[in-house]
């Protein structure tokens, strides 16, 4: 079992709010890689029928995220909301008829900086889009003892400890897919673990089949080889990133399902165990 | 000469202001997590011009010559950078250098800069109150015999100066470097909120984070203005990855110390099918094609 510096991490309150759906393009059309316009919903809002564990590749939606999409409660809160509220932290509704209901922080969708929160179906069904959330955030600044060359992403350290095992001087993780660097697109050059997601490109149908991307689900765990996300999303031959799928596919060139880094390193210290059921939901249930 | 629809293309004046440098670039965190201080993009750059090595300037995304941007409103700003094409004539529209002519040499995405070359005598007279008028021409350019090859950001006269040969239904284009898709970075799959037709303005960066790759591929030879080939790069309706696709671009800004970035490439030609081939030629540079520099024997 890994040991982290979690006892030295401050717990900081950050506040967010539900945001409405964001409509992109002319008439809400998404233009695909062949220049054809498709009409479909995109990001933001409350997803009543899409949650963690569902297939993320076959939804008729662009960059679709599960649960309720949020931003900081006001412009001043924005950066801290995105950075401090970590995957697995508890989120609580602070006012209105659903006051006190608890859910979980999930992923950032980088392009428009929204953060997904996951609540149970009964609570989600009652949301109306004016909800505000408090997260007693913890995780930004996590380090793994004995692995100074590993950068931890925006993840609750209690959840991290369940997901990562130390074995023979390496960190072992269960993953559903191993994706090489040439597949990585939207998000390249952005601020690594501090940003949000880094997208797997789904432009090439042969490569889509080769990596069996059609079976990816929200919350699936993947390993990105040759991909460095320590300070920036970039190519470094020896780098490895272990991450979680946080949003769905896109028809746009250079885009696809988004991966949010959990741990990463410029050195080959993270090793995969292939597991078709590797999904963050397995570890959340244990908590 | 390639057959095109040039007779149908409107030539429309667009105007930008010379843009003061806007990024202090102090305590920038590099790809290895160490902070450094350097200059960044923007401004009137006196000592690095198109044709010069773009990996040499110590700084972040240093732009050669004169940086311009339309500062009025977002719509005019995007229109200025989308309409301007590499090789278009640019003219100083104010001040003591009014009337001096130069060329557009690149479009820098995100910041929406149109980068222009002017001769040294003109540079010495410019201030940040000056404006630049671009005779934009090239939007909608089509190759009549190659419907699968898309042109963009390309002045029709520059197209005819690039030494392109036609052979067996393909275009053979002189290039200085061939770059695999995994080494193309920032700007790939860029924000769709800026424009729905992404590669029609701006650029995307060659990744220089992995120094072994930089050495092995001679990236340290890259110059502003080099014509390069991007392998498996589909830039038809965005910037993505499709095996067999080919993109031809021009290098427009300098290197970086941050990750996922590097010299920027503005797209000139792109095709989903392998109908473009590159032949290595160290003289494949717009500084030579536009008569800015003489080829050194």
């Amino acid at each position: 079992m890994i040991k982290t510096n979690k006892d030295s991490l401050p717990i900081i309150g950050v506040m967010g709010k539900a945001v409405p759906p964001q409509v992109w393009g002319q008439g809400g059309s998404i233009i695909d890689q062949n220049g054809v316009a498709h009409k479909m919903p995109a990001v933001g809002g409350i997803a009543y029928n899409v949650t963690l564990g569902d297939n993320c590749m076959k939804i008729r939606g662009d960059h679709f995220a599960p649960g309720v999409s949020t931003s900081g409660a006001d412009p001043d809160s924005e950066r801290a909301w995105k950075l401090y509220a970590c995957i697995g932290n508890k989120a609580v509704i602070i006012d209105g008829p659903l006051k006190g209901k608890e859910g979980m922080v999930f992923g950032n969708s980088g392009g428009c900086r929204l953060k997904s929160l996951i609540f149970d179906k009964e609570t989600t069904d009652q949301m109306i889009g004016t909800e505000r959330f408090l997260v007693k955030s913890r995780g930004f600044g996590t380090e793994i003892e004995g692995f100074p060359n590993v950068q931890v992403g925006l993840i609750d350290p209690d959840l991290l400890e369940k997901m990562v095992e130390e074995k023979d001087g390496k960190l072992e993780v269960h993953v559903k897919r191993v994706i090489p660097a040439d597949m990585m697109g939207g998000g390249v050059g952005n601020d690594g673990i501090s940003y949000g997601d880094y997208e797997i490109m789904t432009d090439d149908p042969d490569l889509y089949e080769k990596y069996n991307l059609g079976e990816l689900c929200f919350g699936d765990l993947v390993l990105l080889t040759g991909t460095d996300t320590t300070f920036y999303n970039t190519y470094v031959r020896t780098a490895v990133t272990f991450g979680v799928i946080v949003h769905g596919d896109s028809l746009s060139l250079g885009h696809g399902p988004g991966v949010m880094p959990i741990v990463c390193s410029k050195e080959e210290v993270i090793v995969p165990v292939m597991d078709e059921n590797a999904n963050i939901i397995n570890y959340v249930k244990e908590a | 000469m390639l057959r095109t629809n040039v007779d149908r293309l409107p030539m429309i004046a667009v105007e930008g202001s010379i843009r003061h440098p806007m990024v202090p670039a102090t305590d920038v965190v590099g790809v290895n997590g160490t902070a450094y201080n350097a200059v960044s993009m923007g401004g009137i750059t006196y000592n690095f011009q198109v044709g010069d090595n773009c990996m040499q300037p110590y700084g972040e995304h240093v732009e050669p010559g004169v940086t311009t941007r339309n500062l009025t409103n977002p719509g005019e700003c995007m229109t200025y950078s989308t309409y301007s094409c590499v090789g278009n004539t640019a003219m100083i529209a104010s001040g003591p250098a009014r009337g001096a002519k130069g060329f557009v040499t690149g479009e820098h995405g995100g910041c929406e800069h149109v980068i222009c070359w002017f001769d040294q005598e003109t540079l010495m007279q410019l201030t940040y109150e000056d404006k630049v008028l671009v005779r934009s021409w090239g939007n909608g350019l089509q190759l009549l015999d190659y419907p699968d090859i898309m042109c963009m950001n390309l002045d029709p006269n520059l197209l005819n100066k690039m030494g392109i040969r036609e052979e067996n239904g393909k275009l053979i284009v002189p290039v200085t470097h061939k770059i695999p898709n995994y080494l193309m970075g920032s700007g790939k799959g860029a924000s769709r909120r800026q424009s729905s037709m992404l590669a029609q303005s701006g650029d995307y960066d060659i990744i220089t984070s992995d120094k072994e790759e930089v050495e092995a591929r001679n990236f340290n030879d890259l110059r502003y203005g080099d014509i390069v080939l991007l392998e498996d790069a589909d830039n038809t309706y965005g910037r993505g990855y499709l095996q067999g696709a080919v993109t031809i671009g021009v290098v427009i800004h300098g290197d970086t110390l941050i990750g996922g970035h590097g010299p920027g490439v503005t797209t000139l030609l792109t095709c989903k099918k392998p109908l473009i081939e590159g032949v290595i030629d160290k003289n494949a540079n717009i500084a030579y094609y536009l008569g800015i520099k003489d080829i050194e024997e």
Side-chain angles (χ1 to χ4, degrees):
Chain A
M1 175 130 158
I2 58 165
K3 284 185 72 177
T4 68
N5 62 340
K6 63 182 180 183
D7 293 335
S8 69
L9 294 176
I11 298 173
I12 305 177
V14 287
M15 204 157 90
K17 64 180 182 192
V19 297
Q22 327 260 295
V23 180
W24 290 344
Q26 190 181 341
S29 294
I30 308 296
I31 298 184
D32 75 10
Q33 63 195 72
N34 297 309
V36 177
H38 298 257
K39 294 184 186 292
M40 64 177 74
V43 304
I46 306 159
Y48 295 107
N49 64 341
V50 177
T51 192
L52 212 53
D54 291 346
N55 183 292
C56 70
M57 302 300 285
K58 294 169 182 153
I59 294 169
R60 183 73 177 165
D62 187 84
H63 292 83
F64 207 79
V68 52
S69 292
T70 67
S71 67
D74 54 61
D76 283 343
S77 312
E78 189 63 21
R79 291 194 74 193
W81 175 250
K82 289 303 149 49
L83 212 45
Y84 294 179
C86 290
I87 299 171
N89 285 172
K90 193 178 295 182
V92 181
I93 300 176
I94 60 167
D95 47 23
L98 297 175
K99 179 175 177 174
K101 294 290 186 186
E102 294 179 353
M104 183 186 93
V105 175
F106 189 46
N108 288 357
S109 294
C112 44
R113 310 291 203 277
L114 301 183
K115 185 185 290 289
S116 296
L117 304 182
I118 309 289
F119 287 77
D120 61 39
K121 187 151 184 12
E122 189 190 339
T123 305
T124 306
D125 277 350
Q126 296 176 76
M127 287 191 186
I128 61 171
T130 56
E131 287 76 22
R132 295 190 304 160
F133 310 93
L134 179 74
V135 171
K136 291 180 181 172
S137 74
R138 183 177 71 146
F140 184 59
T142 302
E143 293 173 329
I144 300 176
E145 215 171 277
F147 290 88
N149 52 3
V150 170
Q151 176 69 54
V152 180
L154 308 180
I155 184 124
D156 186 300
D158 290 331
L159 184 53
L160 176 71
E161 286 173 358
K162 292 176 175 26
M163 298 176 72
V164 180
E165 287 288 331
E166 179 175 353
K167 199 168 179 184
D168 302 327
K170 308 263 188 180
L171 297 178
E172 193 178 83
V173 292
H174 281 235
V175 301
K176 186 167 175 172
R177 296 285 183 274
V178 175
I179 306 289
D182 58 317
M183 294 295 289
M184 303 311 295
V188 58
N190 288 327
D191 293 331
I193 65 112
S194 295
Y195 178 68
D197 61 310
Y198 190 7
E199 297 184 16
I200 300 169
M201 293 189 280
T202 51
D203 312 323
D204 189 304
D206 293 335
L207 294 172
Y208 187 103
E209 287 300 319
K210 179 179 177 182
Y211 296 110
N212 196 3
L213 299 178
E215 300 305 316
L216 286 173
C217 301
F218 297 109
D220 275 351
L221 301 169
V222 296
L223 199 79
L224 311 177
T225 57
T227 295
D228 175 17
T229 54
T230 51
F231 292 95
Y232 297 95
N233 294 334
T234 188
Y235 171 80
V236 171
R237 189 182 56 81
T238 54
V240 189
T241 293
F242 167 61
V244 57
I245 301 287
V246 296
H247 73 67
D249 199 6
S250 172
L251 296 173
S252 298
L253 254 189
H255 291 257
V259 180
M260 197 153 153
I262 293 174
V263 285
C264 54
S265 177
K266 286 181 164 58
E267 296 161 34
E268 291 168 300
V269 294
I270 304 169
V271 294
V273 172
M274 299 311 300
D275 177 357
E276 200 59 24
N277 297 313
N279 189 296
I280 204 167
I281 209 169
N282 303 328
Y283 305 98
V284 168
K285 280 176 183 164
E286 285 174 26
Chain B
M1 203 149 93
L2 290 163
R3 290 197 323 128
T4 69
N5 64 340
V6 63
D7 294 339
R8 297 189 59 190
L9 302 183
M11 183 185 288
I12 302 180
V14 289
E15 189 175 84
S17 300
I18 299 183
R19 193 178 200 198
H20 194 281
M22 75 300 271
V23 180
T26 52
D27 274 358
V28 181
V29 177
V31 65
N32 291 319
T34 308
Y36 64 97
N37 301 302
V39 300
S40 187
M41 57 193 173
I44 302 162
T45 303
Y46 296 107
N47 60 339
F48 288 103
Q49 308 303 329
V50 67
D52 294 341
N53 187 295
C54 71
M55 303 290 282
Q56 277 299 302
Y58 185 77
E60 279 298 310
H61 298 74
V62 172
E63 294 164 335
V66 180
T67 296
T68 69
R69 185 183 202 254
N70 183 295
L71 302 175
T72 50
N73 59 60
E76 290 187 27
C77 174
M78 274 311 299
T79 306
Y80 178 59
S81 62
T82 306
Y83 282 19
S84 298
C85 293
V86 176
N88 282 168
T89 297
M91 188 182 79
I92 302 298
S94 61
R98 185 188 173 107
K101 294 210 182 77
F103 298 102
V104 172
T105 62
E107 301 162 38
H108 191 169
C111 46
E112 304 316 320
H113 289 166
V114 175
I115 304 166
C116 300
W117 172 87
F118 293 95
D119 62 30
Q120 278 294 123
E121 190 186 335
T122 302
L123 289 188
M124 292 304 167
Q125 299 177 73
L126 297 176
T127 73
Y128 293 113
E129 293 183 351
D130 284 322
K131 291 196 184 299
V132 171
L133 188 135
V134 170
R135 294 178 186 161
S136 81
W137 190 44
N139 285 282
L141 180 64
Q142 293 169 0
L143 303 177
L144 297 178
D145 298 320
Y146 300 88
D148 291 321
I149 298 178
M150 241 189 213
C151 302
M152 53 185 78
N153 308 308
L154 179 57
D155 181 282
N157 287 336
L158 176 58
L159 170 67
N160 294 326
K161 294 175 181 170
M162 288 170 65
I164 298 174
R165 282 188 296 112
E166 298 178 72
E167 198 174 285
N168 300 325
K170 296 188 182 189
L171 298 187
I172 314 299
V173 183
V175 299
T176 60
H177 296 73
K178 295 181 185 178
I179 300 158
N181 200 279
Y182 68 89
L183 290 180
M184 292 311 295
S186 182
K188 191 184 278 178
S191 168
R192 296 187 300 105
R193 290 183 300 172
Q194 289 173 333
S195 168
S196 62
M197 296 299 217
L198 292 172
Q200 269 75 355
S201 75
D203 72 302
Y204 66 142
D205 292 6
I206 299 166
I207 295 175
T208 53
S209 309
D210 189 307
K211 297 310 168 194
E212 288 180 9
E213 292 274 1
V214 170
E215 284 297 320
R217 295 181 185 276
N218 298 318
F219 285 170
N220 285 321
D221 296 343
L222 282 165
R223 300 165 299 186
Y224 298 111
D226 274 352
I227 302 295
V228 295
L229 184 145
L230 309 181
E231 297 168 344
D232 302 318
D234 178 1
N235 282 194
T236 51
Y237 296 96
R239 297 190 188 96
Y241 177 36
L242 186 67
Q243 294 173 107
V246 188
T247 288
I248 298 292
V250 57
V251 177
I252 62 118
H253 72 62
D255 197 15
T256 179
L257 287 157
I258 67 177
H261 292 251
V265 178
T266 291
T267 301
L268 301 176
L269 298 164
T270 189
C271 186
K272 288 184 187 312
K273 300 176 187 172
L275 299 181
I276 304 175
E277 288 181 7
V279 57
I280 299 294
D281 181 345
K282 64 179 173 57
N283 294 321
N285 187 292
I286 63 169
Y288 301 138
Y289 299 154
L290 295 172
I292 291 169
K293 283 181 86 164
D294 295 325
I295 292 176
E296 292 152 28
E297 296 302 332

